[in-house]
Amino acid sequence: MPASSSPVPFEAAPGAQPLYRQLAERYAQAIATGSLRPGMRLPSVRELCQRHGVSLTTALQALRHMESMGCAEVRERVGYFARVPGRVARLPAAREPEVHEPLAPDPNLFTGINERISVFLEKARRAGPDVLDLGSAMPAPSLFDAAALNRLAVRLLREQPDILVYGPSAPTTHPEFQRAMAHHAMEFGLHLAPADIGATHGNSEAVNLALDAVAQPGDVIAVESPTFFGILQAIEVRGLRALEIPCSPHTGISLEALELAARNEPRLKGVVVVPHLQMPLGSVMPDAHKQRLVALCMEHGLALIEDDIYREFVESPQTRRPLKAWDRPGDEGQVIYCASLSKSFAPGLRQGWMSAGRWQARVQMLKFARTRNMQTWSQLLAARSVDSPAYRRHLTRMRAQLREQREQAARAVARHFPVGTRLSLPPGGISLWLELPQGLSSSRLYDEALARGIRVAPGAMFSNTGRYEHFLRLSCGLPFTERVEEGYRVLGELLARQMDALSGGPGLLCA
Amino acid sequence: MPASSSPVPFEAAPGAQPLYRQLAERYAQAIATGSLRPGMRLPSVRELCQRHGVSLTTALQALRHMESMGCAEVRERVGYFARVPGRVARLPAAREPEVHEPLAPDPNLFTGINERISVFLEKARRAGPDVLDLGSAMPAPSLFDAAALNRLAVRLLREQPDILVYGPSAPTTHPEFQRAMAHHAMEFGLHLAPADIGATHGNSEAVNLALDAVAQPGDVIAVESPTFFGILQAIEVRGLRALEIPCSPHTGISLEALELAARNEPRLKGVVVVPHLQMPLGSVMPDAHKQRLVALCMEHGLALIEDDIYREFVESPQTRRPLKAWDRPGDEGQVIYCASLSKSFAPGLRQGWMSAGRWQARVQMLKFARTRNMQTWSQLLAARSVDSPAYRRHLTRMRAQLREQREQAARAVARHFPVGTRLSLPPGGISLWLELPQGLSSSRLYDEALARGIRVAPGAMFSNTGRYEHFLRLSCGLPFTERVEEGYRVLGELLARQMDALSGGPGLLCA
């Protein structure tokens, strides 16, 4: 996947540039002119602050921006070093997202996501089930092994004829599910006691319970920016405030920015991180970052809520080790691990699980108070599947198919979308994150596409900052049929009309 | 069921009596001596206040206590009238619970239920699955029609082979489930639009979502006293305060006390009521009370959260009409109706539903933010079952069997439990609520019984007031086998030892 690691040459943004870009450009020019030679150490964040009189965040953003331009590279725990930008990829790589200053959060940013999400979802609901879904980060049913699962289901009904009418009375996760998940977790380097595993209604309930356990209304929770809208929703509905932290498409959440926030925001109680295939950027945190993040949360007493729903979609098995693998064991743990089989195995079961470290007892209590036990049925189907060679074969097949679908989708974007569209091909997963040319609106595209029977996920769903209006998430969950190809063509056509409208061209007709 | 309607003669409690009892006794003596003749009108609540200088609550409690003693009877919308106590039932009827003053809530009452519940449940969990469960209000698996359900399950897997791997992406309840529940609801007098029905993870999630929708931390929610511990848990975990309102074993929540609370507690936002087979008292609200309760909530702008999980267990079909049947339709509704098929049809599916009146859109948003969609699988199994003649036959069978089990349980209590134990045989349901002789502790019984392999539900789980320590809920969900009979014998033996210990007898050995 050259596109994900290849940089693009620096392009000056129209109009006045943010400070960090000006700073980055200064250094990029120094490299271009030879004042800075490749391999030379660049100033540290603090040195940049002192030298140029900018804030820590601006300095950090400048370095990250240089990194995304290909003018700088990070060497873990040493610093940033100058480098010469490499060749241009087939499609320009996604830029580092613009980020806001984490030290001066605007309270207005903290509300409204739910209303926005509800409006988008209600429109989708009304459009009905026959829409071409290029919006949801969910593999198509054909990518799962339904036949094997159904055979297992029939066998389970025969073996345990009471399974659908038996109601467990104590707040327990089924021991067979606990053992199976503990065993499964060992495969990706996570060692948990079965008793520390609790079943949940999907990953969503796990993250929600984690937030319930660690924070009170008015508290602050740090999140990646942009991030999965479900996380922003969960934060908003319980009266918490989301603090969006810059996130790189290559290495995930900015540890420096998070540390600054931890030092300066007394009500910061925790952070929600998607370490594997961050949604929507697709970044996979390097192990060294994972380790530093866990240490940082321990040092500052922050709950580290690990949303690991996309782990099985990471292509390289070497990079699938969860944050929780670096945590202290059992009830000393600072990491609340949340996972689900909904994306990788059986979306129809809604079977999630979690292991909450020192919040485990509280999470169990909260779970019981809210939704009682999870079905024995879905727990046993999951337990008996996940530990089998057939499951591993299924994952291998699914990863290969999704890789093909991602590449086909990227090619379709290249064919049909306006010049200036940028994307990174992520190292796995079910979706692409696109940056459209400035001025285009993915919210408008959402409405126009839905009217043509196509659903997308507009950038505005992924942040409270309003900075992603010209970003777009596209699902690669569907096999690339002619209907899908036609969908991309229509999206491209709608975007072209927006471009025309911007430049006063014929597209004004559809404004 | 003579036991539920027959009164007991007044017995003076040991030690100083509460004011309401002294007042009730004064009137009882007036009837006994002929100063007040049967059929004469008793003073109204307000007249009692003026005449004796007591609070409204004390006056109300006095009248209710006289009613439970058999010295007074209510004529709807007219008042209380004197009567002569009738014959004594086989077992003394449960007394009106002692209630606290709803106008001066003690903030200390509002916390701690979760810790207490967690301790009880953790002990039960550790005791393992082989315990004789006389605690849970859940019918035994043998009372359900598992074979029919399993046949339907296999058919569904064949018909919709993708059902376990298909993940709906929009926040929707399955239209077939909505239609089936709307049709089902018509049978008990409730007319809902299918679109106003939302699927939930059991009744618990529905009640939790209702609380999320109507109240903010610090707000007050009125509940019946005693009440199902799950309701107290749900209130506590979100930082709300529970205001316990007196509840009669015959007519349910005291409307007078609720109205007083509505007038005096500005932060009162709603009330949770179990109109059918109130847990744990077993009362079924008369229709006239239901109607008045809905009107009262409309007048005061209180959300009326109707927890209707035991409706199908009410023996008389005439009394199964929900509160919501008196509500305004659609999004003008003041009643949030919550129900589930977990108790009556398939505990293993955890399939609940709700219809939230004017909070419907907010509830849908909250549901999606927390746990996303409910399985299509369980929705369709429920939808296709509930509308069939086989389902109605199943309910008829189950009600008959539960009636027999309740009567057998009551006889076992009479055989084995200490003299002075009181109970009401409720007009349906899965459990009995017992008042043990003063001084006995059901919390202690809980521990001692668990050590002997028997689980019960101690009174302390059902209130924050501490007034139910000598009360006990016993499940009648199990067919009355020799093992169950032996369980009752052991419980009786443990209670006898407690009695002995109280009087300094040989039971001290086991203290």
Side-chain angles (χ1 to χ4, degrees):
Chain A
M1 279 146 301
S4 69
S5 50
S6 297
V8 279
F10 178 74
E11 294 176 280
Q17 287 199 13
L19 198 55
Y20 76 91
R21 290 208 173 194
Q22 295 177 29
L23 198 59
E25 196 173 9
R26 190 182 302 183
Y27 281 87
Q29 284 174 339
I31 294 168
T33 58
S35 305
L36 269 168
R37 282 194 314 277
M40 282 180 73
R41 196 175 175 286
L42 292 170
S44 72
V45 173
R46 283 178 203 277
E47 284 164 349
L48 279 178
C49 294
Q50 287 158 7
R51 200 181 289 179
H52 305 284
V54 297
S55 74
L56 283 173
T57 310
T58 301
L60 176 74
Q61 287 176 314
L63 285 167
R64 291 213 166 280
H65 190 60
M66 287 173 67
E67 196 190 356
S68 78
M69 291 158 65
C71 305
E73 60 183 338
V74 189
R75 296 183 197 157
E76 277 312 322
R77 295 190 175 273
V78 182
Y80 285 84
F81 291 80
R83 68 185 293 265
V84 173
R87 65 182 175 84
V88 179
R90 188 183 53 219
L91 276 171
R95 278 191 295 221
E96 290 294 314
E98 297 180 29
V99 294
H100 69 275
E101 169 62 77
L103 300 187
D106 174 358
N108 290 328
L109 300 180
F110 297 139
T111 53
I113 194 77
N114 273 303
E115 201 185 324
R116 211 167 337 135
I117 301 299
S118 293
V119 169
F120 283 126
L121 294 174
E122 177 59 16
K123 286 176 183 170
R125 198 188 63 74
R126 286 195 191 163
D130 296 331
V131 156
L132 176 68
D133 189 355
L134 300 180
S136 312
M138 182 65 84
S142 64
L143 272 69
F144 297 94
D145 192 352
L149 183 56
N150 292 354
R151 278 194 301 274
L152 180 62
V154 171
R155 206 154 60 229
L156 190 56
L157 285 172
R158 236 178 259 137
E159 243 178 62
Q160 302 196 19
D162 277 351
I163 194 166
L164 301 179
V165 299
Y166 178 77
S169 54
T172 50
T173 296
H174 199 288
E176 193 175 328
F177 180 79
Q178 291 178 315
R179 281 193 301 270
M181 292 306 124
H183 190 248
H184 175 53
M186 287 170 63
E187 283 181 45
F188 44 87
L190 184 53
H191 297 264
L192 298 171
D196 291 340
I197 287 172
T200 60
H201 292 291
N203 189 69
S204 296
E205 186 178 43
V207 172
N208 272 274
L209 289 170
L211 291 170
D212 278 333
V214 306
Q216 299 295 318
D219 285 344
V220 177
I221 298 292
V223 298
E224 300 154 317
S225 183
T227 191
F228 171 52
F229 56 84
I231 295 170
L232 295 173
Q233 282 187 292
I235 287 171
E236 186 183 310
V237 296
R238 45 181 54 70
L240 304 174
R241 296 182 303 142
L243 180 59
E244 299 191 25
I245 302 285
C247 189
S248 149
H250 306 299
T251 55
I253 194 166
S254 161
L255 301 180
E256 294 78 5
L258 180 62
E259 183 151 25
L260 278 174
R263 288 195 200 288
N264 289 280
E265 176 50 71
R267 296 211 64 174
L268 185 66
K269 293 297 165 62
V271 51
V272 186
V273 172
V274 182
H276 299 123
L277 300 170
Q278 196 271 351
M279 181 55 67
L281 293 177
S283 51
V284 173
M285 284 186 89
D287 278 1
H289 279 237
K290 290 176 184 167
Q291 197 170 356
R292 281 174 60 203
L293 176 57
V294 174
L296 190 161
C297 289
M298 284 180 184
E299 186 190 334
H300 293 278
L302 299 182
L304 176 46
I305 301 172
E306 178 174 23
D307 176 347
D308 202 22
I309 190 161
Y310 298 108
R311 183 197 60 250
E312 305 281 36
F313 298 102
V314 175
E315 300 241 319
S316 158
Q318 283 77 45
T319 52
R320 273 184 231 144
R321 200 164 160 204
L323 296 167
K324 181 127 187 105
W326 284 275
D327 196 18
R328 286 183 293 248
D331 59 7
E332 306 222 306
Q334 197 74 17
V335 181
I336 303 183
Y337 184 74
C338 306
S340 174
L341 298 155
S342 286
K343 302 277 185 185
S344 58
F345 168 62
L349 291 182
R350 310 279 309 113
Q351 184 62 57
W353 62 280
M354 69 192 300
S355 187
R358 61 193 186 85
W359 291 278
Q360 183 68 17
R362 181 156 170 76
V363 156
Q364 273 173 357
M365 181 277 285
L366 291 164
K367 168 76 173 86
F368 192 70
R370 286 208 72 108
T371 59
R372 299 285 180 275
N373 297 294
M374 188 74 199
Q375 294 175 356
T376 301
W377 165 253
S378 55
Q379 289 184 68
L380 290 193
L381 283 180
R384 293 182 183 190
S385 302
V386 86
D387 213 18
S388 68
Y391 177 72
R392 282 184 280 274
R393 281 196 302 273
H394 151 68
L395 286 182
T396 305
R397 263 197 318 270
M398 179 180 258
R399 279 192 287 261
Q401 186 156 357
L402 284 174
R403 186 190 319 122
E404 197 188 316
Q405 290 172 196
R406 284 194 308 275
E407 287 169 0
Q408 284 169 317
R411 282 197 290 272
V413 168
R415 272 195 300 281
H416 298 299
F417 277 42
V419 173
T421 300
R422 295 156 172 269
L423 66 77
S424 291
L425 260 184
I430 322 168
S431 57
L432 297 180
W433 179 243
L434 275 67
E435 182 179 359
L436 305 172
Q438 276 282 0
L440 295 195
S441 160
S442 59
S443 300
R444 185 175 150 190
L445 177 67
Y446 179 86
D447 290 338
E448 293 172 348
L450 214 49
R452 301 279 293 267
I454 304 163
R455 182 170 164 196
V456 297
M461 293 178 87
F462 298 89
S463 168
N464 276 319
T465 64
R467 286 164 206 254
Y468 301 100
E469 186 54 34
H470 65 298
F471 285 77
L472 180 68
R473 186 183 78 179
L474 288 178
S475 164
C476 314
L478 299 179
F480 205 83
T481 58
E482 274 181 35
R483 188 182 176 211
V484 173
E485 166 77 21
E486 172 62 12
Y488 277 82
R489 198 196 58 72
V490 170
L491 293 178
E493 179 193 314
L494 294 170
L495 289 171
R497 287 201 208 168
Q498 277 198 34
M499 294 279 277
D500 289 345
L502 276 182
S503 59
L508 275 175
L509 284 173
C510 72
Chain B
M1 277 148 303
S4 70
S5 53
S6 297
V8 279
F10 178 72
E11 294 176 280
Q17 288 198 11
L19 197 55
Y20 77 90
R21 290 208 173 193
Q22 294 177 29
L23 198 59
E25 195 173 9
R26 189 183 302 183
Y27 280 86
Q29 282 174 340
I31 293 169
T33 58
S35 306
L36 268 169
R37 284 194 314 277
M40 282 179 74
R41 198 174 173 285
L42 292 170
S44 72
V45 174
R46 285 179 201 276
E47 284 164 349
L48 279 179
C49 294
Q50 288 160 5
R51 200 181 287 181
H52 303 285
V54 297
S55 75
L56 284 173
T57 311
T58 300
L60 178 74
Q61 287 176 315
L63 284 168
R64 290 212 168 281
H65 191 58
M66 286 173 68
E67 197 191 357
S68 77
M69 291 158 66
C71 305
E73 61 184 337
V74 188
R75 296 184 197 158
E76 277 312 321
R77 296 189 174 272
V78 183
Y80 285 84
F81 290 80
R83 69 184 293 263
V84 174
R87 66 184 175 80
V88 178
R90 188 181 56 217
L91 277 169
R95 278 191 295 221
E96 290 294 314
E98 298 179 28
V99 294
H100 70 275
E101 170 61 76
L103 300 186
D106 174 359
N108 291 329
L109 299 180
F110 298 138
T111 54
I113 194 79
N114 274 303
E115 201 185 324
R116 209 166 339 134
I117 301 299
S118 293
V119 169
F120 283 125
L121 294 174
E122 178 59 17
K123 286 176 183 171
R125 198 188 62 73
R126 285 194 192 162
D130 296 331
V131 156
L132 176 68
D133 189 355
L134 301 180
S136 311
M138 183 63 85
S142 64
L143 271 69
F144 297 93
D145 192 352
L149 183 56
N150 292 354
R151 278 194 302 275
L152 181 61
V154 172
R155 206 152 61 228
L156 190 57
L157 287 172
R158 234 178 262 139
E159 243 177 63
Q160 302 196 18
D162 277 351
I163 194 166
L164 300 179
V165 299
Y166 179 77
S169 54
T172 50
T173 296
H174 200 288
E176 192 175 330
F177 180 78
Q178 291 178 315
R179 280 193 302 269
M181 291 307 124
H183 190 248
H184 176 52
M186 287 171 64
E187 282 181 44
F188 45 89
L190 184 53
H191 297 265
L192 298 172
D196 290 341
I197 286 173
T200 60
H201 292 292
N203 189 70
S204 295
E205 185 178 43
V207 172
N208 272 274
L209 289 170
L211 290 171
D212 278 334
V214 306
Q216 299 295 319
D219 285 343
V220 176
I221 298 291
V223 298
E224 299 154 318
S225 182
T227 192
F228 171 51
F229 57 84
I231 295 170
L232 296 173
Q233 284 187 289
I235 288 170
E236 187 184 310
V237 296
R238 46 181 55 69
L240 304 173
R241 298 182 300 143
L243 180 59
E244 298 192 24
I245 303 285
C247 189
S248 150
H250 306 300
T251 55
I253 194 166
S254 162
L255 302 180
E256 294 77 6
L258 180 62
E259 185 152 25
L260 278 175
R263 289 194 200 288
N264 289 280
E265 175 52 71
R267 297 210 64 176
L268 185 66
K269 293 297 165 62
V271 52
V272 187
V273 172
V274 182
H276 299 123
L277 299 170
Q278 196 273 347
M279 183 54 67
L281 294 177
S283 50
V284 173
M285 285 186 89
D287 277 2
H289 279 237
K290 290 175 183 168
Q291 197 169 355
R292 279 173 61 202
L293 175 57
V294 174
L296 191 160
C297 289
M298 284 181 183
E299 186 190 335
H300 293 278
L302 298 182
L304 175 46
I305 301 172
E306 178 173 23
D307 176 348
D308 202 21
I309 190 163
Y310 298 108
R311 183 196 59 250
E312 305 281 36
F313 297 103
V314 175
E315 299 240 319
S316 158
Q318 283 76 44
T319 52
R320 272 184 231 144
R321 202 165 159 203
L323 296 167
K324 181 125 186 106
W326 283 274
D327 196 18
R328 285 183 294 247
D331 60 6
E332 305 223 305
Q334 197 73 17
V335 181
I336 303 182
Y337 184 74
C338 306
S340 175
L341 297 155
S342 286
K343 302 277 184 183
S344 59
F345 168 62
L349 290 183
R350 311 279 309 112
Q351 184 63 58
W353 60 280
M354 69 192 299
S355 187
R358 61 193 186 84
W359 292 276
Q360 183 68 18
R362 181 156 170 78
V363 155
Q364 274 174 358
M365 181 276 285
L366 291 164
K367 167 77 173 87
F368 191 70
R370 287 209 72 107
T371 59
R372 298 285 180 276
N373 297 293
M374 188 75 199
Q375 295 175 355
T376 301
W377 165 255
S378 55
Q379 289 184 68
L380 289 193
L381 283 180
R384 293 181 184 192
S385 301
V386 86
D387 214 16
S388 68
Y391 177 72
R392 282 184 280 274
R393 281 196 303 272
H394 151 68
L395 286 183
T396 305
R397 264 199 316 271
M398 179 180 258
R399 278 192 288 261
Q401 186 157 357
L402 284 174
R403 186 190 318 122
E404 197 188 316
Q405 289 172 196
R406 285 194 307 275
E407 286 169 1
Q408 285 169 317
R411 284 196 291 271
V413 167
R415 273 196 299 281
H416 298 299
F417 277 42
V419 174
T421 300
R422 294 155 173 269
L423 66 77
S424 291
L425 261 183
I430 321 168
S431 58
L432 297 180
W433 179 243
L434 276 67
E435 181 179 359
L436 304 172
Q438 277 281 359
L440 295 195
S441 160
S442 60
S443 300
R444 186 175 149 190
L445 176 68
Y446 180 86
D447 290 339
E448 293 172 349
L450 214 50
R452 300 279 291 268
I454 304 163
R455 181 170 165 198
V456 296
M461 294 178 86
F462 298 89
S463 169
N464 276 319
T465 64
R467 286 163 207 253
Y468 301 101
E469 186 54 35
H470 66 297
F471 285 77
L472 181 69
R473 187 184 76 179
L474 288 179
S475 163
C476 314
L478 298 179
F480 204 83
T481 58
E482 274 180 34
R483 190 181 175 211
V484 173
E485 166 77 21
E486 171 63 11
Y488 278 82
R489 199 197 56 72
V490 171
L491 293 179
E493 180 194 313
L494 294 170
L495 288 171
R497 288 200 208 168
Q498 277 198 35
M499 294 280 276
D500 289 345
L502 276 182
S503 58
L508 275 176
L509 284 173
C510 72

